[in-house]
Amino acid sequence: MQEDYQYMRQAIELASQAAGRTSPNPLVGAVMVKNGQVVGQGYHARAGTPHAEINALAVAGSQARGATLYVTLEPCSHYGRTGPCAKAVIEAGITRAVVAMTDPNPKVKGRGIELMRTAGIEVVEGVMAAEAAKLNEVFIKWIATGMPFGLMKTAMTLDGKIATRTGHSKWITGETSRNSVHTLRDTCDAILVGIGTVLADNPELTTRLPNGGKNPQRIIVDSLARTPLTAKVVNDGLAPTIIAVTSDAPAENIAALRAKGVQVLVVSRGSTGVDLRELFSLLGKREITSVLIEGGAAINAAALAANIVDKVYAFVAPKIIGGKTAPGPVGGIGAETMAETINLEEITISLSGEDVLITAYLEAREVRHVYRTCGRIG
């Protein structure tokens, strides 16, 4: 049993190498072991390319016959962009399969395991299931609900300010934290801000890491289509830009943005502007599985109210701004009593250079029951 954990941990580490690259597919790693030796290993690198099991089989070759397969997610049983992995595993002569978690995709969901067992393969389930589910929390949320996994990033001072009373905010956090944010962007499908951020900062919303990284799609919440035609997100061509407006937006503004190559989505109006839940549903249909929310106080408040935030990254700098009018990370009306506050769980606290990073999940979100079935929560 100890060996099972050792090799499954290796498979999870392999899978994580493709973070941010496999969407809308999950992250999957596979290791094949025979007579105590690893004879093949691989991971799913990108949607449309061979899955982890196929890559590991290619390395193992004839040594796969009689081997044990360790895989972080149940092998698929259907034809999609590639063929069914469960069938390939059976044909290769694998005699034992250790599977971390069942695939929550309704097209699979136990069928791959059933196919292997019917073929006479010994299947062991649930080894490091919690770790495997956390690795694929983005995929689990999207496949179970059709909605992207929402990550909210904030950067604030020790007294909870995101800017001075004059609006000055560069830079609250240090270089290490800013690099961490670019790593987050690199692993997410999209980044979302409000029109206020675009008008105030004219940001690029791109990933700037030493090795370049992957630019996420850019989503601007702009109910009246006020995004300037000169804005970087409209003109630089560095990543696709989606602007979410409402029917209140002037038709000529929408037409001008579309003429610049911007995708404009007309979304229903919510209580504070664009209906963010409807927007997330539309993004999910476009196979956008994760959205990093990097807006100001207004967009953060709207996102929390719309129940689209699953995880929070809060960078806290050892600085004090002070002042009653200096803004905090979440605006809106706010809670009247402590009973109405939004609670966080699974809290992790770590150093980020001179700053502190608090990572946490929002309590009782709609996808939590799916995590339970996948093994993330006992």
Side-chain angles (χ1 to χ4, degrees):
M1 182 61 95
Q2 188 60 38
E3 285 187 352
D4 286 351
Y5 280 89
Q6 173 190 335
Y7 292 122
M8 187 60 74
R9 188 172 292 108
Q10 185 173 336
I12 288 174
E13 289 171 357
L14 282 168
S16 66
Q17 292 182 36
R21 302 298 184 270
T22 63
S23 181
N25 290 352
L27 293 163
V28 185
V31 175
M32 292 185 182
V33 179
K34 187 174 185 179
N35 299 325
Q37 298 293 322
V38 174
V39 295
Q41 61 182 19
Y43 62 92
H44 181 46
R46 194 177 298 273
T49 65
H51 289 184
E53 303 93 321
I54 304 304
N55 287 328
L57 284 169
V59 174
S62 61
Q63 293 188 83
R65 187 160 298 278
T68 295
L69 165 67
Y70 294 89
V71 63
T72 58
L73 186 71
E74 170 188 8
C76 62
S77 56
H78 66 292
Y79 285 90
R81 291 170 176 166
T82 60
C85 292
K87 182 180 178 182
V89 167
I90 292 167
E91 292 175 348
I94 295 292
T95 55
R96 182 172 182 261
V98 181
V99 179
M101 60 173 277
T102 303
D103 192 336
N105 186 342
K107 294 179 180 178
V108 185
K109 209 164 189 179
R111 293 183 182 90
I113 290 172
E114 182 182 354
L115 280 174
M116 291 191 294
R117 283 191 171 134
T118 300
I121 297 175
E122 177 194 352
V123 180
V124 178
E125 299 179 63
V127 175
M128 297 190 72
E131 292 85 349
K134 187 167 186 177
L135 176 74
N136 273 311
E137 59 191 8
V138 166
F139 173 74
I140 291 170
K141 165 74 181 291
W142 178 72
I143 203 70
T145 68
M147 301 275 280
F149 189 86
L151 306 92
M152 189 175 79
K153 166 258 165 184
T154 63
M156 70 187 88
T157 57
L158 187 62
D159 58 337
K161 307 295 185 180
I162 62 172
T164 68
R165 57 185 172 80
T166 64
H168 189 261
S169 61
K170 290 184 172 55
W171 295 102
I172 286 178
T173 54
E175 186 176 356
T176 300
S177 296
R178 296 198 297 274
N179 286 339
S180 295
V181 173
H182 284 287
T183 299
L184 270 176
R185 291 182 180 183
D186 179 63
T187 59
C188 288
D189 290 348
I191 179 172
L192 181 148
V193 300
I195 180 59
T197 297
V198 173
L199 294 176
D201 301 332
N202 191 21
E204 292 179 1
L205 304 179
T206 54
T207 298
R208 295 182 291 281
L209 292 170
N211 62 350
K214 171 182 65 68
N215 288 334
Q217 295 191 53
R218 301 171 294 196
I219 302 164
I220 314 301
V221 178
D222 179 10
S223 59
L224 297 177
R226 293 186 293 146
T227 301
L229 298 180
T230 56
K232 291 178 181 177
V233 294
V234 173
N235 291 283
D236 62 19
L238 296 175
T241 297
I242 298 172
I243 297 182
V245 305
T246 67
S247 57
D248 296 332
E252 59 271 24
N253 290 18
I254 294 175
L257 287 167
R258 284 176 172 160
K260 296 281 285 185
V262 170
Q263 303 173 62
V264 179
L265 296 181
V266 181
V267 184
S268 298
R269 185 169 185 83
S271 58
T272 58
V274 170
D275 185 323
L276 293 182
R277 283 198 67 80
E278 182 179 314
L279 173 59
F280 260 48
S281 179
L282 292 172
L283 296 176
K285 289 180 173 65
R286 290 170 171 244
E287 296 190 340
I288 292 175
T289 64
S290 57
V291 176
L292 177 62
I293 301 165
E294 270 202 65
I299 202 71
N300 287 344
L304 289 167
N307 193 18
I308 59 171
V309 179
D310 295 287
K311 191 173 185 178
V312 172
Y313 290 83
F315 293 89
V316 182
K319 301 173 182 177
I320 296 174
I321 288 178
K324 291 182 179 181
T325 59
V330 181
I333 298 174
E336 285 190 17
T337 68
M338 292 304 295
E340 297 175 355
T341 60
I342 297 171
N343 296 321
L344 303 176
E345 60 185 14
E346 294 187 60
I347 299 164
T348 302
I349 301 174
S350 60
L351 287 177
S352 177
E354 66 266 38
D355 307 317
V356 173
L357 169 60
I358 302 172
T359 307
Y361 294 85
L362 272 72
E363 187 180 57
R365 282 309 189 240
E366 60 196 63
V367 78
R368 305 301 278 176
H369 70 284
V370 184
Y371 291 151
R372 291 188 182 95
T373 64
C374 292
R376 182 169 159 213
I377 300 175

